[in-house]
Amino acid sequence: MDYLAIKRALQIGDRSEQGRMLFDEARDVRKWEEIRTSPFYRDMVADLREEGERLLSEPIVSLPFSSFKLFDTAGARIEFERSFFARRKRLSILAFLSLLDRNSELYLPALEDAIWAICDEYTWCLPAHLGGNSLKPSHLRRNRHSIDLFAAETGFALAEIVSLLKERIHPIVASRAEAEVKERVLETYCSLGSSYEWETLGNNWASVCGGSVGAAALYLIPSAEELAPIVHRLLGTMESYLAGFENDGASTEGVGYWSYGFGFYSYFASLLKQRTAGRIDLLEGEKIKQIALFHQKCYLTGPYTVPFSDCEPTSLFPMGLIHALKRRYPEIHVPNIEQKWSIAKDPIGRWGPFIRDFVWSRAEWIGEEWPDGTYFLPDAQWAVVRRTIDGERYAFAAKGGHNDEPHNQNDLGSFVLHVGGETLLTDLGSGEYTKGYFGAERYSYVCNSSAGHSVPIVEGSYQQAGAAYRAKALRFEESEEQVSYTLDLTEAYGTANLQSLVRQFTFKQRVLELRDRYVFREPPSSVISRFITLYEPAVSADGRVRVEGAAFGVEAVYDRRAAKPVIHRFDFMNKDSKLIPVYAIDLEAERPAEEVLMTVRFEIYSLT
């Protein structure tokens, strides 16, 4: 939109009751009565009351310099971030309980202390986001006024909480919080020469930072004339975020980052629509609809996800966001309520999605299991298949794309095979976030290297990083009996001897057939098909390879005259900082020639 149209829309909002009362759904006393009394919310509220009682008896966690400095001195993030996020979670829970019990003052003093403590913080940014300058005295003021994901989120949270509780919290606390948000976030954003890399990114940074800055501005800047240039600039950032999606609506960052990024986009969109009395609606359009529908294409069964890129193997859904999107797009599938995200169990405690989980949700939508479906996303080059066979749920997913995606992993041709709640052949998803994980050492982490994926190893070489290393989706075919997906992986590897590498998946009933066809200039030194699993494989005397979970297993059937299996074990530090064993099954071609055909049938069987 042009600047004048934005200004006029804001002026219309000035004259409208809707424009003056932002987030009115969180001010509806009838909704809060429903939250207090409905069986739908009973367990959620009980968990939060229990957490609230605990918080009232515990002091606010400190943020010592000794943990703040660890990122730049040792590359460690978790020690500081655990305490930083505990404060945000404390803020969110105490604010929610204060809103829930509007006739009680029980939680208000503790909430005021939480707000005060956050206002005292040296910076609202994580040390990991300060560009290696967190320990430089010359950057004291700059660090205080930097805007990263969490500085922006903190500004959003404080502005919204103060707005909702303005009449009940102490005026000095409210005034200080508003002043800190204006100084650290809004005045910094509007200052002469200010510019941020996230403003032009096509990933979650654009929507979370931009959406949070925008939300804080809508709450704290009442004048349409002052607000218009800020909104105009922010809409450019929202366009950058949307440009990161192709027309298929896929987020190659995975469903976890979809929930994060598109969630904050939606929170800002809702507030802006209210502030302009409906004149600006950022959730209109076919592309937005496809982005909204992406969520339901990312699950295997239950909470188990398609764990490509830095997505985690399981993900709980954001109930408020999904319910709000379903009201606009009836095609949205609401998952089973048992799979919802819960702030009581979440270590980060983000306010924006938390409060909307309650006030945007509808108690009658208890949800249901993911339906069978087949999805092909041609731009992302993802294929996802869910099937019910004799009462059991089977799922398969594979990807192409390129090796310069957001949160990239060198994983072209990677796939997962899932049955009955067990991912027998897997993608590891995210590793522990450290300084090196997002730096020059990224591909030394096994989960980011193609060494940690179910992809070929060609003459000892792994896939390379960069946009030039890419797959080509050749064919995707679906029938009642089977689904077939063919990818050209030739350009994924930097080996001059490789002339062609085509990988074909055929998923039919209880069998996944994988066919890799190689063409070389001259006989290669080695050709290996690697498969990743979290279950220890067993190799029989005659070379059969089996992977067994609790209820199901899969046997790799291949020409044992043409290939031999080798099992490797390594330890993997996941995003939750837990060390888990991982197994790689390598099928190595015997005496490979200029043309190699490696065919493996993964046959699923029941253990009961």
Side-chain angles (χ1 to χ4, degrees):
M1 295 182 66
D2 64 64
Y3 172 80
L4 185 58
I6 293 169
K7 182 177 178 181
R8 286 173 176 166
L10 290 167
Q11 289 171 334
I12 291 171
D14 282 346
R15 299 190 292 269
S16 163
E17 181 67 28
Q18 184 184 12
R20 291 194 297 272
M21 191 61 70
L22 291 180
F23 203 19
D24 58 354
E25 57 268 47
R27 305 173 197 271
D28 185 346
V29 295
R30 294 167 300 179
K31 183 63 183 181
W32 284 105
E33 181 63 21
E34 180 188 23
I35 294 169
R36 280 190 292 273
T37 60
S38 170
F40 180 81
Y41 298 105
R42 183 181 298 136
D43 291 344
M44 306 176 216
V45 170
D47 287 344
L48 292 170
R49 288 196 184 280
E50 183 178 342
E51 278 289 292
E53 291 300 315
R54 182 184 64 80
L55 293 173
L56 290 178
S57 66
E58 293 182 357
I60 297 172
V61 66
S62 66
L63 296 178
F65 176 68
S66 57
S67 62
F68 178 84
K69 70 178 182 179
L70 285 177
F71 179 76
D72 276 353
T73 58
R77 296 177 57 153
I78 192 169
E79 292 82 1
F80 179 81
E81 291 180 13
R82 184 184 292 119
S83 300
F84 179 93
F85 292 134
R87 287 185 165 206
R88 271 71 185 161
K89 182 173 179 178
R90 184 186 189 97
L91 172 75
S92 295
I93 292 174
L94 293 172
F96 169 79
L97 292 172
S98 297
L99 289 165
L100 182 69
D101 297 339
R102 56 193 176 92
N103 296 320
S104 169
E105 305 298 301
L106 177 62
Y107 300 102
L108 283 175
L111 172 63
E112 291 168 343
D113 285 345
I115 294 172
W116 199 260
I118 289 173
C119 290
D120 282 341
E121 290 173 2
Y122 161 59
T123 177
W124 288 346
C125 294
L126 295 184
H129 297 161
L130 291 173
N133 299 311
S134 67
L135 302 180
K136 294 181 179 179
S138 60
H139 281 70
L140 282 172
R141 178 172 173 78
R142 185 179 303 178
N143 290 344
R144 174 179 170 82
H145 294 91
S146 291
I147 304 176
D148 73 339
L149 294 167
F150 300 104
E153 282 189 47
T154 300
F156 177 9
L158 289 178
E160 189 162 88
I161 289 168
V162 167
S163 175
L164 295 173
L165 289 163
K166 191 71 172 283
E167 304 304 318
R168 294 174 59 200
I169 61 178
H170 197 286
I172 191 66
V173 175
S175 296
R176 187 184 181 199
E178 290 178 343
E180 291 286 342
V181 175
K182 287 179 179 177
E183 178 195 340
R184 296 186 192 229
V185 178
L186 299 181
E187 292 172 7
T188 297
Y189 178 75
C190 297
S191 63
L192 185 65
S194 69
S195 177
Y196 300 92
E197 182 183 6
W198 50 257
E199 293 187 80
T200 56
L201 294 178
N203 61 25
N204 68 84
W205 272 75
S207 61
V208 175
C209 293
S212 294
V213 170
L218 292 171
Y219 278 113
L220 298 180
I221 300 176
S223 165
E225 286 70 21
E226 293 180 46
L227 198 52
I230 299 174
V231 172
H232 184 255
R233 177 176 169 187
L234 287 167
L235 291 187
T237 297
M238 296 300 107
E239 289 178 7
S240 294
Y241 170 67
L242 295 178
F245 296 86
E246 298 294 342
N247 291 331
D248 62 12
S251 170
T252 54
E253 296 180 284
V255 71
Y257 280 103
W258 174 93
S259 298
Y260 187 29
F262 195 56
F264 276 83
Y265 177 91
S266 300
Y267 312 149
F268 173 60
S270 175
L271 292 171
L272 184 60
K273 184 177 181 180
Q274 291 179 349
R275 179 63 180 81
T276 59
R279 297 307 192 275
I280 301 179
D281 186 356
L282 300 183
L283 287 172
E284 286 185 332
E286 180 60 26
K287 184 173 183 178
I288 298 293
K289 178 180 177 179
Q290 292 307 315
I291 294 171
L293 290 170
F294 175 69
H295 178 262
Q296 62 204 51
K297 302 171 184 176
C298 295
Y299 286 84
L300 303 171
T301 63
Y304 293 93
T305 67
V306 176
F308 298 146
S309 188
D310 271 346
C311 185
E312 296 175 65
T314 61
S315 183
L316 301 176
F317 80 97
M319 180 173 67
L321 175 62
I322 297 303
H323 284 200
L325 292 173
K326 184 172 180 63
R327 284 195 286 273
R328 180 175 287 252
Y329 304 116
E331 304 97 317
I332 295 287
H333 176 79
V334 176
N336 191 303
I337 186 63
E338 295 177 359
Q339 298 166 23
K340 70 168 286 299
W341 168 90
S342 167
I343 194 173
K345 300 176 182 177
D346 175 54
I348 295 180
R350 292 186 170 96
W351 168 256
F354 166 46
I355 187 63
R356 287 161 179 81
D357 261 9
F358 285 92
V359 300
W360 278 6
S361 59
R362 292 179 61 166
E364 65 269 27
W365 287 351
I366 60 173
E368 56 188 8
E369 179 56 80
W370 302 105
D372 286 0
T374 299
Y375 309 103
F376 179 58
L377 302 168
D379 299 310
Q381 298 182 0
W382 284 22
V384 181
V385 183
R386 292 192 297 260
R387 290 282 187 271
T388 301
I389 304 172
D390 295 334
E392 285 297 344
R393 305 302 303 277
Y394 292 74
F396 157 73
K399 77 177 295 291
H402 61 81
N403 281 341
D404 192 29
E405 297 168 347
H407 284 262
N408 183 67
Q409 296 182 358
N410 292 340
D411 59 356
L412 307 181
S414 183
F415 70 98
V416 296
L417 184 61
H418 179 95
V419 58
E422 298 178 306
T423 306
L424 299 174
L425 299 176
T426 194
D427 190 295
L428 297 176
S430 171
E432 181 183 29
Y433 284 6
T434 62
K435 188 175 185 178
Y437 192 86
F438 290 105
E441 305 165 35
R442 181 170 180 84
Y443 298 104
S444 67
Y445 292 77
V446 69
C447 60
N448 299 327
S449 164
S450 70
H453 291 88
S454 296
V455 299
I457 302 171
V458 183
E459 295 192 294
S461 296
Y462 301 121
Q463 293 181 13
Q464 301 297 299
Y469 299 94
R470 58 180 55 242
K472 295 177 183 176
L474 300 180
R475 288 181 304 280
F476 180 82
E477 298 171 328
E478 177 189 4
S479 69
E480 258 188 57
E481 293 78 25
Q482 67 181 39
V483 173
S484 178
Y485 184 29
T486 306
L487 289 161
D488 186 334
L489 301 179
T490 311
E491 295 181 14
Y493 298 84
T495 55
N497 190 31
L498 179 65
Q499 299 296 289
S500 174
L501 170 52
V502 175
R503 165 163 282 198
Q504 181 183 58
F505 301 97
T506 303
F507 185 57
K508 180 179 180 180
Q509 292 292 319
R510 298 174 181 83
V511 175
L512 171 65
E513 182 177 274
L514 174 65
R515 179 172 295 189
D516 288 334
R517 186 180 295 276
Y518 303 79
V519 178
F520 295 93
R521 278 200 179 94
E522 56 187 46
S525 56
S526 65
V527 170
I528 294 173
S529 287
R530 170 164 288 186
F531 310 109
I532 300 296
T533 181
L534 299 182
Y535 301 97
E536 184 173 7
V539 181
S540 63
D542 61 357
R544 294 179 181 271
V545 182
R546 287 191 169 190
V547 172
E548 294 186 344
F552 292 90
V554 62
E555 182 176 66
V557 179
Y558 58 95
D559 185 348
R560 294 190 294 279
R561 298 166 300 176
K564 63 180 180 181
V566 179
I567 309 300
H568 303 278
R569 182 191 185 278
F570 55 88
D571 290 327
F572 167 58
M573 185 71 76
N574 69 13
K575 193 175 181 179
D576 293 329
S577 302
K578 294 179 180 177
L579 197 65
I580 59 175
V582 175
Y583 301 92
I585 304 167
D586 284 357
L587 290 183
E588 183 169 359
E590 298 271 26
R591 299 177 297 278
E594 287 91 341
E595 294 191 18
V596 177
L597 176 62
M598 184 87 75
T599 300
V600 185
R601 284 170 53 87
F602 296 102
E603 299 181 352
I604 299 170
Y605 55 91
S606 173
L607 297 176
T608 58

